[in-house]
Amino acid sequence: MKHYHLHNRPNRELTKKSDIDRILKKGKFAVISMCRENEPYIVTLSYGYDAENETLYSHCAKNGLKLDFLNSNKNVCATVIEDKGYVMDECGHEYESVVFWGDMQIVKDLHEKKHGMSILLLHLEEKDSVIKEKQLKSDDYYSKMEILKLKVRQIHGKAGR
């Protein structure tokens, strides 16, 4: 893949893994673009970030358009944005973002489904009681949903103002 990101504005590029991880850990949803047979589709999903494995986990219903697209083409591009607001009288916007490419797959293995849900809950929830309640659900609970795994292949960060 040719590297275009921030070609004209290298001073805005975030190159430290710690900065990129911070944005992904703080974010609550990712906007994910997909394509099948030259037809584009975009979806916003809440996620949990597994920094050690550079992987995002999401969950969804057992059927739907995003699953149809993933079954056709697992290659996706996504972004997570931390919006810090418009800067009045400067015609500027303060933000940090990451754009990444990766493979998004439907998790089939029950153990990995539980791991993905745990990552998601730990990322989004604040109360230990809610996390424990969801983690202790029966195996049947996991059979009623899909867990999606997005393994990051390439990522670029940017800060704006």
Side-chain angles (χ1 to χ4, degrees):
M1 177 180 299
K2 196 168 181 180
H3 180 78
Y4 287 104
H5 196 70
L6 300 177
H7 184 265
N8 295 325
R9 296 251 173 116
N11 60 317
R12 291 188 177 182
E13 186 167 17
L14 299 174
T15 57
K16 293 181 185 173
K17 182 172 178 2
S18 60
D19 289 333
I20 289 170
D21 281 352
R22 178 179 39 76
I23 294 166
L24 288 171
K25 287 176 184 176
K26 193 171 183 179
K28 300 298 181 199
F29 62 90
V31 179
I32 301 167
S33 61
M34 305 174 178
C35 190
R36 72 171 175 194
E37 299 175 21
N38 207 30
E39 178 187 9
Y41 178 63
I42 193 164
V43 64
T44 302
L45 296 172
S46 59
Y47 70 89
Y49 179 55
D50 179 349
E52 185 178 326
N53 295 303
E54 296 180 330
T55 302
L56 282 72
Y57 288 96
S58 298
H59 69 89
C60 65
K62 294 288 285 178
N63 52 42
L65 191 56
K66 69 182 141 298
L67 299 179
D68 292 345
F69 270 75
L70 287 177
N71 284 322
S72 176
N73 183 356
K74 67 180 183 170
N75 295 306
V76 300
C77 181
T79 187
V80 172
I81 302 166
E82 182 182 349
D83 183 355
K84 297 180 179 184
Y86 184 77
V87 182
M88 283 296 186
D89 303 322
E90 291 186 24
C91 196
H93 205 108
E94 195 170 332
Y95 66 92
E96 290 183 320
S97 66
V98 290
V99 173
F100 50 99
W101 295 260
D103 299 322
M104 188 172 217
Q105 299 179 19
I106 301 165
V107 176
K108 300 296 183 192
D109 177 72
L110 179 61
H111 178 74
E112 188 172 9
K113 275 187 163 188
K114 289 180 177 183
H115 171 74
M117 181 56 92
S118 180
I119 294 291
L120 180 65
L121 289 168
L122 290 169
H123 185 99
L124 296 175
E125 289 290 340
E126 293 179 357
K127 291 183 179 178
D128 286 340
S129 60
V130 173
I131 295 168
K132 286 179 183 171
E133 174 194 337
K134 295 291 185 185
Q135 288 175 328
L136 294 175
K137 294 281 186 175
S138 70
D139 292 355
D140 186 51
Y141 172 77
Y142 291 93
S143 70
K144 295 176 183 171
M145 74 171 85
E146 296 294 2
I147 299 292
L148 306 177
K149 173 183 179 179
L150 196 170
K151 176 67 176 157
V152 176
R153 278 193 321 260
Q154 182 179 356
I155 191 163
H156 299 281
K158 179 179 178 181
R161 173 131 190 239

